[in-house]
Amino acid sequence: MNQLVKGLSILGLSLALPLAAHASEPDLGKGAKVFKKCAACHTLGEGEDNKIGPNLYGMFERPVASAADFNFSDGMTARAAEIGTWTDENLAEYLTKPRDYVPGTNMSFVGLRKEKDRINLIAYLRQETGAPVAEAESDEEQEDEAE
């Protein structure tokens, strides 16, 4: 009986682990749906006009608060040097609750509570704004972190 339980446990883990890894992959279709909340204020395409918010094309390559022809809030301008450029990590933190991350921002969006929504949106933004795809950690880096 004990061998049967061990065998079933191993089988269960072997089935669950690939599913868990797949669950952490971003879904660009879902990211596009989340972006609909952003589209009232932002554009994504190269050369498109700013709206209430800045055009986001190139956002991962340029310094924060530096989009052409856009008047950023004092709060965003003050925090820009500290942020540097947008990364997946700091953008996820900002999108969680923008007014907490950048006090004084003019962005009225309350934020995205669900981590999966933020992951999907950031992957979609990378694709649509000409950014390089964030590199997945190599197996060696993951092993180093596990130790």
Side-chain angles (χ1 to χ4, degrees):
M1 179 74 172
N2 203 10
Q3 291 292 350
L4 178 62
V5 171
K6 284 182 184 177
L8 288 174
S9 296
I10 291 170
L11 177 63
L13 281 175
S14 66
L15 293 173
L17 290 176
L19 291 174
H22 180 65
S24 66
E25 293 178 21
D27 183 323
L28 296 175
K30 289 181 180 177
K33 286 181 183 176
V34 174
F35 182 75
K36 289 180 181 182
K37 298 175 183 180
C38 313
C41 298
H42 296 282
T43 57
L44 296 174
E46 185 173 14
E48 289 183 338
D49 291 336
N50 295 317
K51 291 183 171 182
I52 294 168
N55 171 279
L56 301 178
Y57 192 85
M59 67 182 283
F60 292 99
E61 279 82 40
R62 67 174 179 247
V64 170
S66 67
D69 302 322
F70 189 79
N71 186 22
F72 287 89
S73 68
D74 291 341
M76 184 60 83
T77 303
R79 187 90 198 277
E82 182 183 339
I83 297 169
T85 58
W86 288 119
T87 64
D88 293 6
E89 293 77 21
N90 64 21
L91 185 56
E93 191 174 342
Y94 175 66
L95 292 171
T96 301
K97 217 169 186 185
R99 290 180 182 266
D100 285 356
Y101 192 73
V102 178
T105 184
N106 289 340
M107 190 158 124
S108 61
F109 183 65
V110 297
L112 296 170
R113 290 183 299 134
K114 295 179 183 176
E115 180 182 20
K116 195 64 180 165
D117 285 348
R118 294 188 302 271
I119 290 168
N120 293 334
L121 175 61
I122 292 168
Y124 177 74
L125 288 173
R126 281 193 165 280
Q127 173 185 280
E128 296 300 310
T129 63
V133 175
E135 293 182 25
E137 288 182 318
S138 69
D139 290 338
E140 190 174 295
E141 288 173 331
Q142 289 176 1
E143 288 173 10
D144 289 345
E145 287 178 7
E147 292 175 1

